[in-house]
Amino acid sequence: NDGRLKPEVVAAGCQTGGDGGITSTFPGNVYGVYCGTSMATPAVSGLVALLRQHYLSLNLSGSFLPSTAKAVLAHSATDLGNAGPDYKYGYGSISAPAAKALIGGGAIVQGALLPGGSSTRTVTVPAGSSELKVTLAWADKEAVENAAITLVNALDLVVTDPSGNRRYPWRLDPASPSAAATTAADHTNPLEQVRAGNPWIWRTYFWDHKPLFDSILCAQGYYLAFMDAPDLFGAPVAILIDPAERIAEL
C-alpha cells in the first residue's frame, strides 16, 4: 500500500519449444518439468545460484548477498511494458547472459555509509556511448509494525553530468499504477535506477536524507552497478574504472 515497486523483475514459467516448461529438482533426487507461473520461482532461484557460483569462481571481493542478486537482476533485465519499471513487469525479464556478463565486467562496486554520510564516484564513459545506466540496491532494516512508510534507510542515487545537471531515478505513482514511470527522487524503494542519455563523465553520489536513525545506515553496505546501457552484455569496455575499484559485491 505504500507504493513500493513489486515485482522488481519477472521470469518466464514456460518456454517456447523444447520441453515447453522449466526443469527443476523434484523429490526423490530427480529432475522434472512443469509449465506455469509457479515455475518462474525456480527459474529465478536457479539463475541466482549460478550467478553466485560464477561470482565465487572469479574470486571477487566480498559476499554474494541478496542485494547483490537484486541489483544484478534489475540492472541486466530486459525492459518490458512501459519504458522503465512498472507494477506489471518491474524492471523487466531476467537475462542470464547479461547478468553473468555484468558480474564479470568489473562494473559493480560496494560501499557502506554512516548516518548523514555520502559517497561520490566519477564514471568515465567511452566516447560515442548513447546512454549510461546506474542501479543502486541495498538491504534495508525492517520497519516497525504498521508503519506508513516501510523504508527505514533511505539512500538517494544522484547522477550529475559535467555541467552539474542532475538525472533522477525512476519513480512510479501508486495512485495511477498503469501510468508510465517518471523521474524524481525516490524515498520508497531500496532499489533505484538512473538512465542518463548522452553521457560523457558522470558523477554519481548518494546520501542519507533522513535526520534520525536507530542503527548504522545499511550495515551490510550499499551496492552499485553501472554500465553503458546499450551494451546489454556488459563488456569490460562499457565502463572504464580503476582495476583496484573492481569490488563486485552488490
Side-chain angles (χ1 to χ4, degrees):
N1 294 330
D2 62 359
R4 283 175 291 170
L5 175 63
K6 296 295 178 185
E8 290 158 324
V9 292
V10 295
C14 301
Q15 65 169 317
T16 301
D19 55 24
I22 300 295
T23 300
S24 179
T25 55
F26 273 60
N29 197 31
V30 297
Y31 287 96
V33 178
Y34 275 139
C35 172
T37 55
S38 296
M39 295 308 290
T41 297
V44 176
S45 300
L47 175 57
V48 170
L50 291 172
L51 292 175
R52 181 179 182 276
Q53 181 182 21
H54 177 57
Y55 178 97
L56 297 176
S57 71
L58 297 177
N59 296 315
L60 300 172
S61 301
S63 302
F64 192 87
L65 302 174
S67 294
T68 315
K70 181 166 64 174
V72 169
L73 292 179
H75 191 86
S76 59
T78 301
D79 194 14
L80 298 174
N82 296 334
D86 54 61
Y87 288 120
K88 185 175 183 179
Y89 300 106
Y91 281 95
S93 178
I94 62 172
S95 171
K100 177 177 180 288
L102 178 62
I103 291 175
I108 300 170
V109 296
Q110 175 197 7
L113 293 176
L114 295 176
S118 65
S119 177
T120 303
R121 182 171 298 274
T122 298
V123 179
T124 302
V125 182
S129 299
S130 61
E131 189 178 48
L132 175 71
K133 179 165 66 172
V134 184
T135 303
L136 174 67
W138 64 97
D140 196 31
K141 185 180 184 297
E142 68 279 4
V144 298
E145 186 176 357
N146 297 322
I149 299 177
T150 57
L151 189 65
V152 176
N153 295 320
L155 275 65
D156 285 329
L157 174 62
V158 179
V159 178
T160 58
D161 64 17
S163 299
N165 300 310
R166 178 176 176 178
R167 301 300 179 97
Y168 288 88
W170 296 110
R171 191 172 74 172
L172 294 169
D173 181 4
S176 182
S178 62
T182 58
T183 55
D186 181 0
H187 301 154
T188 303
N189 295 286
L191 174 66
E192 299 186 10
Q193 185 181 98
V194 172
R195 299 190 71 157
N198 300 317
W200 178 46
I201 298 179
W202 293 90
R203 194 168 181 82
T204 304
Y205 62 101
F206 22 94
W207 71 85
D208 149 44
H209 75 274
K210 286 192 172 185
L212 298 175
F213 281 84
D214 59 357
S215 63
I216 294 179
L217 175 63
C218 292
Q220 295 187 19
Y222 63 78
Y223 311 95
L224 183 69
F226 49 91
M227 64 184 286
D228 181 14
D231 183 355
L232 296 181
F233 293 99
V237 296
I239 201 72
L240 302 179
I241 61 175
D242 185 336
E245 298 289 348
R246 293 184 178 181
I247 305 174
E249 183 176 87
L250 279 188

